[in-house]
Amino acid sequence: MTTRPSPHVGFPQRLDVHGGTALVDDEAYLRGLVEQVLFTRPGERVNRPDFGSGVGAMVFAPIDDEVARATQGLVHGALQRLLGDLIHVEQVEVSAEDSTLRVLVAYRPLRSPDTDPRRVLEVSSGGAP
């Protein structure tokens, strides 16, 4: 017997190989939610104006340690507020290096055992590639 993925719609929404709506497992679903919180500007969603973290606004801000600390608070608060019923945010680390802002988020799904490894998502913005 094969297991089917949990019935979560993939984000961004797309079609599977059979032309139906692509479904993803819990792992991909939660990662997608964390990414959505990070990359959505507050006010961007019509019916959820409080959704998002505002990290995108920091791309063109002068980057220094103070901005990094403010971003860390914004990200941690947004993840706790918006996804606190699905994940436990273990760590948010933000660093400013030259003109690049790097954000690292470590989390665990709430429905996973304590021995389950934490998930880490790292994104960076600004600067040269």
Side-chain angles (χ1 to χ4, degrees), residues 39 55-63 95-103 123-129:
F39 295 120
V55 170
M58 302 296 180
V59 171
F60 299 108
I63 298 173
S95 60
E97 300 164 8
D98 297 325
S99 60
T100 300
L101 189 67
R102 189 170 321 283
V103 179
V123 296
S124 59
S125 62

Side-chain angles (χ1 to χ4, degrees), residues 36-93:
Q36 287 177 59
V37 170
L38 290 176
F39 295 120
T40 302
R41 294 183 314 263
E44 186 175 332
R45 292 194 176 182
V46 175
N47 293 324
R48 299 226 24 219
D50 63 332
F51 188 88
S53 67
V55 170
M58 302 296 180
V59 171
F60 299 108
I63 298 173
D64 57 18
D65 289 339
E66 188 175 318
V67 170
R69 284 190 300 276
T71 302
Q72 183 174 349
L74 283 171
V75 170
H76 194 275
L79 289 169
Q80 279 299 123
R81 182 173 40 84
L82 298 167
L83 302 179
D85 59 334
L86 297 172
I87 65 171
H88 171 69
V89 180
E90 293 190 343
Q91 177 185 13
V92 175
E93 192 176 293

